[in-house]
Amino acid sequence: MSRDEWLVARKELLAREKELTRQRDALNADRRRLPMVEVEKATSSRARTA
């Protein structure tokens, strides 16, 4: 792969990375806009021991 080919591929990848970042930011903003609700039942994140 020549330097020019690599540069084209890198720029394409960078554009995809930026789009993914925009999508992730939008998803996070949607999540933050959800109303807060009271947790009715406590859950445990501890693993059960066998």
Side-chain angles (χ1 to χ4, degrees), residues 6-45:
W6 178 88
L7 191 55
V8 168
R10 177 64 186 115
K11 286 181 179 182
E12 290 172 358
L13 183 59
L14 182 59
R16 289 175 49 204
E17 290 172 337
K18 286 183 177 187
E19 180 58 30
L20 178 60
T21 298
R22 286 186 207 100
Q23 290 176 1
R24 186 179 56 238
D25 289 347
L27 179 65
N28 288 338
D30 290 345
R31 182 180 20 82
R32 286 190 304 268
R33 281 192 289 272
L34 286 174
M36 297 185 100
V37 295
E38 184 176 343
V39 176
E40 296 176 9
K41 180 180 177 184
T43 58
S44 175
S45 61

